[in-house]
Amino acid sequence: MDAADPLAAFRTEFALPPGVIYLDGNSLGALPVRTPERVRQVVEREWGHELIRSWNDAGWFEQPYRLGRRIAPLIGADPAEVIVCDTTSVNLFKVLSAALRLRPGRRTVLGDGEAFPTDLYIAEGVTGLVDGGRSLLIRPEELDAHLDGDVAAVVLSHVDYRTGELLDMPGITARVQAAGALMIWDVCHSVGALPVELGAANADFAIGCTYKYLNGGPGAPAFLYVAERHLAAGPVQPLSGWFGHARPFAFEPGYEPKPGIGRFLTSSPSLLGQAALDSSLDVWERADLGAVRAKSLALTDLFVSLVEGLDGIEVVTPREHARRGSQVALRHADGYPVVQALIARGVIGDFRAPDLMRFGFTPLYLSYTEVWDAARHLAEVLASGEWQAEHFSRRGEVT
Amino acid sequence: MDAADPLAAFRTEFALPPGVIYLDGNSLGALPVRTPERVRQVVEREWGHELIRSWNDAGWFEQPYRLGRRIAPLIGADPAEVIVCDTTSVNLFKVLSAALRLRPGRRTVLGDGEAFPTDLYIAEGVTGLVDGGRSLLIRPEELDAHLDGDVAAVVLSHVDYRTGELLDMPGITARVQAAGALMIWDVCHSVGALPVELGAANADFAIGCTYKYLNGGPGAPAFLYVAERHLAAGPVQPLSGWFGHARPFAFEPGYEPKPGIGRFLTSSPSLLGQAALDSSLDVWERADLGAVRAKSLALTDLFVSLVEGLDGIEVVTPREHARRGSQVALRHADGYPVVQALIARGVIGDFRAPDLMRFGFTPLYLSYTEVWDAARHLAEVLASGEWQAEHFSRRGEVT
């Protein structure tokens, strides 16, 4: 399978440590080999040598837009609909605030009670600012029962961060919009893992991070997407800093938002973080998303076929391709020490309480051989009982 | 003067390009020589080699707190009162939102109409979320006349970004608090330029950036300060992301803020930006702020004495030491082309519309000789009329 893999050559684009099978790219993606040099250039040349002149000469002002245009094809968006800035949580705050203002009189936001919690916490923060506002936590399958006339927006993850379940983006978007609400997709766990088609799905807003499958680096800047039809309506968001102003260098006392996606900017971009992301997008520019998706499904198919039936293991991730992202979640009553025992063998996955072991499959730098070996290690860890060693149960901060 | 300068040795800590007199450290500070190596280590070792394990092993989770503790002595704060995260604008949104909730029933925020506009725009954004809320723009000298029972908070810059005027932090704070309002200081243009004493002034909140006098790098993460008495009261801010949750890895659906300053965190820190800041704070750890202030005043005294009386020049920055930050603003009817002509000679200052030339004086890496030379260049540019060359008037994006 590796010999026939059309993406096999991408492995050399990443600096993975020896002796490691890295199945946590769904949490923090690997380092592209060219990124250190790109970051060094920004630090030493653009900052150190050119200093303040780089704002103009090195295109620093343009970076949020330029990086947005580079991400657009990965999420099926128009280049003018995407911008890179801040963090996923901050960006959700912006688009959710904008969505509520686009639906005056409606005060409910629906979220998935099992979603990655920061989305729920931010929805709580945003609705807490609205008189009578509320954030209601449901499960996606209960959506229709809750889509009443008070729902302004629905926030859902395209791929569930724990189970790896992939939701039906076009179908859910259509149902939400039919009820008069706006649909916000969190694509943190799908961007770079499979073709995301926000435009084709008619999504209203989206947010996503770049440090998972996109390999932008730890704490890399996030992105946000706003459908052109909403940009045309002049959406308002309250994090109205000077970078979103129509004329930031006129230093006018009153805020007047830029036309277009720029009004979702707040302040100075993190240039070092953006440099690393820019470098990682050079790799993505050469990757075919169809091939990425095909390999992702083949890798996860292989892993599931090798681990199902192992002692105490339940495969939680859906078997149907249409409902699967690029990770496999396994339930095991002692998942925490099992994951620690795997890490001790160099197989890096992670654990999510109370009992889920997560394994992410990144088609650009994982081989079928590694998947085979990872499954073998898991079988050996379970069969040998080595996970029962006392030190594997000692918990630090969990990532 | 250079021979007697106790800070002269710090110059070797910075990588300044040859042929440049850099008077724009009040906009983007210079690169510390050790920063590229520190960033490289984070990129190659912590990210590339250790991958996800660095969240625990390299202390990534602790960074916002650790960097806050390092900044605390620079702003006269307790280590538990400061945290590094996000941007100045985003942090102002947080502390201003918290301040409004601490003063229920009051709906006005006062700001300086001449302040750096992002503070005003954010105040507009925050008060726009409050029923009947308003952001009222005044001048600092008009403060008392506007401190009525509806004022929840006042936001002022410690040092004016254009004129370089330093405000009386303890006096103004006391007057604002006597009127029942909360005082928020923007210390972007004073941190690292002079000893900032937030605690002694009894300030309620503060925000600041790290890419000016602190030399943290372009788009470096910002910080915020919350007085311990407010932290004890459990202030609430709406950017309630998972990093501010009491138990972020319990993945609970409801938001429960951390005790202490951690509740002002929102999401993953920018690790590359934080690494550069960490490196620059190594330099600051060895700098005596009293000596920095003494040299800053001596540098600006020298510059003012050399340029006052030059043709068409008006010194805008206050002459009194107690009212001066670490920059000198000169008014000239043709300030824009004059600044461009200076830049062509390697003297980098900047311009703020309509007619202000700004020159920042950074005591850690500027010599008295450079100040002398800069003044000489300005005199020559004005006397020769070389600024009238047509290409100096052509405007790009202004920084």
Side-chain angles (χ1 to χ4, degrees):
Chain A
M1 294 173 88
D2 282 325
D5 176 8
L7 299 175
F10 278 97
R11 170 64 174 236
T12 62
E13 307 263 3
F14 294 90
L16 287 155
V20 161
I21 298 175
Y22 193 57
L23 304 182
D24 217 0
N26 53 325
S27 187
L28 175 66
L31 170 66
V33 291
R34 293 194 180 134
T35 295
E37 173 60 16
R38 172 90 177 100
V39 173
R40 192 187 67 76
Q41 282 183 10
V42 170
V43 171
E44 296 190 15
R45 196 186 60 207
E46 296 185 12
W47 171 17
H49 198 273
E50 295 304 313
L51 288 157
I52 195 71
R53 296 170 288 202
S54 285
W55 278 106
N56 294 314
D57 299 350
W60 285 356
F61 284 116
E62 268 301 305
Q63 278 284 71
Y65 301 90
R66 201 174 70 79
L67 293 171
R69 291 194 293 270
R70 300 195 76 182
I71 286 175
L74 300 173
I75 57 175
D78 185 88
E81 295 174 322
V82 189
I83 202 154
V84 166
C85 54
D86 299 308
T87 66
T88 309
S89 298
V90 170
N91 287 339
L92 177 57
F93 190 92
K94 296 182 209 172
V95 300
L96 190 49
S97 297
L100 278 161
R101 293 198 194 194
L102 287 170
R103 290 294 178 270
R106 294 179 175 230
R107 296 160 305 174
T108 295
V109 172
L110 298 181
D112 177 2
E114 300 286 318
F116 190 77
T118 207
D119 288 2
L120 311 178
Y121 303 157
I122 291 290
E124 205 178 312
V126 171
T127 54
L129 296 166
V130 176
D131 191 35
R134 64 169 184 163
S135 164
L136 188 61
L137 305 185
I138 59 164
R139 293 308 328 267
E141 58 271 21
E142 305 164 349
L143 190 57
D144 293 332
H146 292 93
L147 278 172
D148 61 31
D150 196 55
V151 176
V154 177
V155 183
L156 290 174
S157 288
H158 192 199
V159 170
D160 186 292
Y161 81 110
R162 290 192 297 191
T163 66
E165 178 172 0
L166 173 67
L167 293 186
D168 168 19
M169 182 180 277
I172 290 174
T173 302
R175 281 149 55 203
V176 166
Q177 291 169 344
L182 295 163
M183 185 66 218
I184 302 173
W185 286 103
D186 178 339
V187 299
C188 283
H189 287 83
S190 56
V191 60
L194 49 102
V196 176
E197 294 293 350
L198 291 168
N202 199 39
D204 295 294
F205 299 93
I207 46 150
C209 80
T210 67
Y211 50 72
K212 298 178 186 293
Y213 294 96
L214 293 191
N215 313 306
F223 62 86
L224 65 83
Y225 154 92
V226 181
E228 202 285 330
R229 62 186 178 280
H230 295 310
L231 290 176
V236 175
Q237 60 89 10
L239 281 165
S240 45
W242 70 307
F243 265 63
H245 194 282
R247 294 167 300 280
F249 287 95
F251 300 104
E252 298 165 8
Y255 184 72
E256 180 189 325
K258 280 187 199 298
I261 193 77
R263 63 178 52 205
F264 284 87
L265 288 180
T266 300
S267 40
S268 296
S270 165
L271 274 308
L272 275 53
Q274 294 207 339
L277 173 59
D278 197 27
S279 167
S280 73
L281 292 174
D282 289 344
V283 179
W284 277 105
E285 199 164 78
R286 285 175 278 115
D288 177 73
L289 276 179
V292 166
R293 176 61 169 162
K295 183 174 173 186
S296 160
L297 291 170
L299 291 169
T300 50
D301 274 347
L302 176 63
F303 189 70
V304 168
S305 73
L306 293 168
V307 302
E308 63 186 346
L310 290 179
D311 189 35
I313 290 289
E314 176 195 348
V315 177
V316 173
T317 302
R319 310 296 173 106
E320 307 93 298
H321 285 179
R323 292 183 55 223
R324 188 196 306 163
S326 199
Q327 72 180 60
V328 173
L330 304 179
R331 180 168 287 131
H332 187 282
D334 292 292
Y336 183 81
V338 170
V339 164
Q340 300 310 310
L342 281 170
I343 290 173
R345 283 168 169 254
V347 180
I348 302 182
D350 64 24
F351 173 77
R352 288 292 178 258
D355 56 7
L356 285 188
M357 304 188 290
R358 298 195 313 172
F359 302 97
F361 295 84
T362 47
L364 292 190
Y365 53 83
L366 270 188
S367 69
Y368 294 93
T369 305
E370 286 177 303
V371 172
W372 181 278
D373 286 342
R376 178 178 53 77
H377 281 296
L378 177 57
E380 289 175 6
V381 161
L382 293 171
S384 68
E386 70 193 65
W387 61 269
Q388 297 175 41
E390 189 265 342
H391 61 279
F392 288 140
S393 294
R394 235 175 278 135
R395 299 208 184 186
E397 187 88 62
V398 187
T399 61
Chain B
M1 295 173 86
D2 283 327
D5 176 8
L7 299 176
F10 278 98
R11 170 66 175 234
T12 62
E13 307 263 4
F14 294 90
L16 286 155
V20 162
I21 297 175
Y22 192 58
L23 304 182
D24 216 0
N26 54 325
S27 187
L28 174 65
L31 170 66
V33 290
R34 294 198 178 130
T35 295
E37 173 60 16
R38 172 89 176 99
V39 173
R40 192 187 67 76
Q41 282 185 10
V42 170
V43 171
E44 296 189 15
R45 195 184 62 205
E46 296 184 12
W47 171 17
H49 198 271
E50 295 303 314
L51 288 156
I52 194 71
R53 295 170 289 201
S54 285
W55 277 107
N56 295 314
D57 298 350
W60 285 355
F61 285 116
E62 269 301 303
Q63 278 285 71
Y65 301 91
R66 201 173 70 80
L67 293 171
R69 290 194 293 269
R70 299 195 77 182
I71 286 174
L74 300 172
I75 57 175
D78 186 89
E81 295 174 321
V82 189
I83 202 154
V84 166
C85 53
D86 300 307
T87 66
T88 308
S89 298
V90 170
N91 287 340
L92 177 57
F93 190 92
K94 296 182 207 173
V95 300
L96 190 49
S97 297
L100 279 161
R101 294 198 192 194
L102 287 170
R103 289 295 179 270
R106 294 179 174 229
R107 296 160 305 175
T108 296
V109 172
L110 297 182
D112 177 2
E114 299 286 319
F116 190 77
T118 206
D119 288 3
L120 311 178
Y121 304 157
I122 291 291
E124 205 179 311
V126 171
T127 54
L129 296 166
V130 176
D131 191 34
R134 64 169 184 163
S135 165
L136 188 61
L137 304 186
I138 59 164
R139 293 309 328 267
E141 59 271 21
E142 304 164 350
L143 190 58
D144 293 332
H146 292 92
L147 278 173
D148 61 29
D150 197 55
V151 176
V154 177
V155 183
L156 290 175
S157 288
H158 192 199
V159 170
D160 186 292
Y161 81 109
R162 291 192 296 192
T163 66
E165 178 173 359
L166 172 67
L167 294 185
D168 168 19
M169 182 180 277
I172 291 174
T173 301
R175 280 149 56 201
V176 166
Q177 291 170 344
L182 295 164
M183 185 64 219
I184 302 173
W185 286 102
D186 178 338
V187 298
C188 283
H189 287 84
S190 55
V191 61
L194 49 103
V196 175
E197 294 292 352
L198 291 168
N202 200 37
D204 295 295
F205 298 93
I207 47 152
C209 80
T210 68
Y211 49 73
K212 299 180 186 292
Y213 295 94
L214 292 191
N215 312 307
F223 62 87
L224 64 84
Y225 155 91
V226 181
E228 201 285 330
R229 62 186 177 280
H230 296 310
L231 290 175
V236 175
Q237 59 89 11
L239 281 165
S240 46
W242 71 306
F243 265 63
H245 195 280
R247 293 167 301 279
F249 288 94
F251 300 104
E252 297 164 8
Y255 184 71
E256 180 188 326
K258 280 188 199 298
I261 193 77
R263 64 177 54 205
F264 285 86
L265 288 180
T266 299
S267 40
S268 296
S270 163
L271 274 308
L272 274 54
Q274 293 208 339
L277 173 59
D278 197 26
S279 168
S280 73
L281 292 174
D282 290 345
V283 179
W284 277 104
E285 200 164 77
R286 285 175 279 113
D288 176 71
L289 276 180
V292 166
R293 176 61 169 161
K295 183 175 174 185
S296 160
L297 290 171
L299 291 169
T300 49
D301 275 345
L302 176 63
F303 189 71
V304 168
S305 73
L306 293 168
V307 302
E308 62 186 346
L310 289 179
D311 189 36
I313 291 288
E314 176 195 347
V315 177
V316 173
T317 302
R319 310 295 173 108
E320 307 94 295
H321 285 179
R323 292 182 55 221
R324 189 197 305 164
S326 199
Q327 72 180 60
V328 173
L330 304 179
R331 179 168 289 131
H332 187 283
D334 292 292
Y336 183 80
V338 170
V339 164
Q340 300 311 309
L342 281 170
I343 291 174
R345 284 168 169 256
V347 180
I348 302 182
D350 64 23
F351 173 79
R352 288 291 178 259
D355 56 7
L356 285 188
M357 305 188 289
R358 296 195 314 171
F359 303 97
F361 295 84
T362 48
L364 292 190
Y365 53 83
L366 269 188
S367 69
Y368 294 93
T369 305
E370 286 176 304
V371 172
W372 181 279
D373 286 341
R376 178 178 53 77
H377 281 296
L378 176 58
E380 289 175 7
V381 160
L382 293 171
S384 69
E386 70 192 65
W387 59 270
Q388 297 175 39
E390 190 265 341
H391 61 280
F392 288 139
S393 296
R394 233 174 278 136
R395 301 208 184 188
E397 186 88 61
V398 187
T399 62

